[in-house]
Amino acid sequence: NAGVTQTPKFRVLKTGQSMTLLCAQDMNHEYMYWYRQDPGMGLRLIHYSVGEGTTAKGEVPDGYNVSRLKKQNFLLGLESAAPSQTSVYFCASNEAFGEQYFGPGTRLTVT
Amino acid sequence: DAKTTQPNSMESNEEEPVHLPCNHSTISGTDYIHWYRQLPSQGPEYVIHGLTSNVNNRMASLAIAEDRKSSTLILHRATLRDAAVYYCILRDTNFGNEKLTFGTGTRLTIIP
């Protein structure tokens, strides 16, 4: 099993550009999450999903959109990137009441 | 969500036991105590969790106070690979509430 994978690993964007981060899991988990981590801080929840076709806002959802069209994929979109969105983005998934499995992260820089 | 309090940093010598404390005085009856750790440049990984009784697994032990207002993660014999940020997290067991709320954790440094 590959576990949780994230694409891309690194990306540099100019202010105002858009992009989509892809998270994929092969463990048939219902729950999926997108977090961001800024230097010296813990992870903060952006959006999450409790099943295919559902999404919900987390702690810091502004400036991001998500979609869960397939159970195994969770997409995070930035419509108009801002320097404040420079961060490391982590995806995670879990089955009900189970441990969360995290991806390796995507390092995004917005100039 | 109930909050946890951890020291910002700790140091320990290699091959010695490490005790990482966590205070959670506002814990509710349905909160499990979870520990995750984050190695440098990696995503967090699960370490251990418990509700009331002490727990052991291949990675660590979790000692929970009788009143559940504090807990201690125990690494029995620290190695250099255990250098990481350790997060103590309370997770509600109510169905559908699967979210984890991360604080800033404890940065553990292992001295060779």
Side-chain angles (χ1 to χ4, degrees):
Chain A
N1 289 347
V4 179
T5 58
Q6 294 183 228
T7 308
K9 290 184 170 55
F10 303 93
R11 186 71 186 269
V12 178
L13 287 179
K14 295 187 187 303
T15 298
Q17 287 184 322
S18 63
M19 77 164 295
T20 300
L21 282 66
L22 170 64
C23 176
Q25 51 94 5
D26 61 3
M27 297 172 281
N28 201 37
H29 287 166
E30 289 290 340
Y31 299 84
M32 296 188 74
Y33 313 81
W34 276 107
Y35 296 88
R36 63 176 286 175
Q37 186 173 34
D38 299 322
M41 297 183 66
L43 281 70
R44 291 185 293 170
L45 183 63
I46 304 171
H47 285 280
Y48 64 102
S49 170
V50 300
E52 181 179 320
T54 73
T55 62
K57 294 180 179 180
E59 179 187 356
V60 288
D62 293 342
Y64 305 95
N65 57 75
V66 288
S67 64
R68 183 102 181 266
L69 299 178
K70 294 182 178 180
K71 185 176 185 178
Q72 64 267 34
N73 295 337
F74 195 28
L75 279 64
L76 178 71
L78 287 74
E79 291 185 346
S80 180
S84 60
Q85 294 178 304
T86 294
S87 191
V88 181
Y89 291 85
F90 291 101
C91 176
S93 71
N94 66 269
E95 61 184 13
F97 306 119
E99 64 183 88
Q100 281 194 13
Y101 292 83
F102 286 80
T106 295
R107 187 173 297 275
L108 175 66
T109 301
V110 183
T111 61
Chain B
D1 294 334
K3 300 290 187 194
T4 63
T5 303
Q6 300 177 251
N8 288 334
S9 62
M10 292 183 63
E11 289 185 348
S12 181
N13 294 321
E14 191 178 12
E15 299 186 3
E16 291 188 355
V18 182
H19 289 66
L20 296 165
C22 181
N23 287 322
H24 28 79
S25 59
T26 60
I27 191 170
S28 72
T30 55
D31 284 332
Y32 274 81
I33 302 158
H34 284 248
W35 284 82
Y36 282 72
R37 72 179 185 180
Q38 187 174 19
L39 303 174
S41 300
Q42 294 188 26
E45 63 176 353
Y46 168 82
V47 177
I48 200 167
H49 76 281
L51 184 62
T52 56
S53 303
N54 294 345
V55 184
N56 300 296
N57 66 20
R58 64 175 180 80
M59 290 182 70
S61 296
L62 177 60
I64 301 172
E66 194 168 338
D67 64 4
R68 299 210 324 126
K69 294 186 177 182
S70 65
S71 60
T72 302
L73 179 71
I74 303 166
L75 308 179
H76 294 287
R77 194 165 170 269
T79 69
L80 295 177
R81 196 191 172 279
D82 291 320
V85 178
Y86 287 78
Y87 298 98
C88 171
I89 300 167
L90 300 182
R91 193 183 195 189
D92 195 338
T93 55
N94 287 325
F95 183 75
N97 188 359
E98 300 279 341
K99 294 178 288 183
L100 298 178
T101 300
F102 286 81
T104 53
T106 296
R107 182 174 298 277
L108 177 64
T109 300
I110 304 298
I111 302 167

